[in-house]
Amino acid sequence: MRHWPWVLGFAGTVLSFAAQAHDYKQGAIAVGHPYARATVAGQPVAGGYLKFENKGKTADKLISVTADVSQSVELHSMSMDGDIARMRQVDAIEIPAGKTVELKPGGLHIMFMGLKAPLKLGTSFPATLKFEKAGELKVEIKVDDGAGAAHKH
């Protein structure tokens, strides 16, 4: 009987971790830790980030994202040209067979354009990812600082 508090504490830790993890799977595509950074009042755009792992034998593509938090959603790439950040819209994001693709600040990402309200730290919102082959996947995008993404994957 002395061991019950330890067992209950361990079970609570496991349940807490499970509640925090937010990974998804659609066909051969695994999606890990979708998040967006918090915004301030009047900020018109926000970036969305996540990680894809294609566990299949054929390539796939993310072809669109929809979410009600903004007027539109675009797929973007960002690169540095000297001291100038260059961002451009892309038609799709390739996810090669057997590979991992990370959408992150300073690289490929999702842009929520025309935010309807600020994104507040600790909240989340639904979005739908549409893949060329795997189809549609509904996810919850957590609004956080992104620090959790590094240690989970």
Side-chain angles (χ1 to χ4, degrees):
M1 286 297 206
R2 316 183 299 189
H3 298 292
W4 278 108
W6 178 84
V7 170
L8 292 175
F10 177 74
T13 300
V14 169
L15 290 173
S16 173
F17 178 75
Q20 291 174 0
H22 58 294
D23 296 334
Y24 303 88
K25 189 167 186 319
Q26 178 70 14
I29 305 294
V31 176
H33 189 64
Y35 74 97
R37 290 190 174 152
T39 62
V40 296
Q43 186 173 333
V45 299
Y49 314 100
L50 48 80
K51 188 180 281 191
F52 297 115
E53 183 179 358
N54 185 341
K55 298 181 178 191
K57 295 182 190 232
T58 58
D60 205 342
K61 294 178 187 178
L62 176 66
I63 55 175
S64 69
V65 178
T66 56
D68 289 336
V69 297
S70 61
Q71 293 173 3
S72 64
V73 183
E74 298 177 358
L75 304 176
H76 278 216
S77 68
M78 202 282 274
S79 61
M80 294 300 292
D81 183 6
D83 291 342
I84 300 170
R86 301 223 184 259
M87 194 174 344
R88 68 179 182 92
Q89 185 175 0
V90 295
D91 293 330
I93 295 175
E94 301 280 340
I95 310 167
K99 300 288 184 184
T100 298
V101 175
E102 186 174 5
L103 278 56
K104 60 185 177 182
L108 293 169
H109 58 279
I110 300 164
M111 285 298 293
F112 300 98
M113 311 289 284
L115 291 174
K116 296 176 181 176
L119 301 181
K120 296 186 186 218
L121 192 64
T123 63
S124 64
F125 59 90
T128 302
L129 310 177
K130 186 173 182 182
F131 300 95
E132 183 178 65
K133 294 179 181 156
E136 292 188 358
L137 174 62
K138 294 187 184 308
V139 299
E140 279 293 313
I141 297 183
K142 297 197 178 199
V143 180
D144 67 24
D145 61 5
H151 75 268
K152 289 181 184 173
H153 302 286

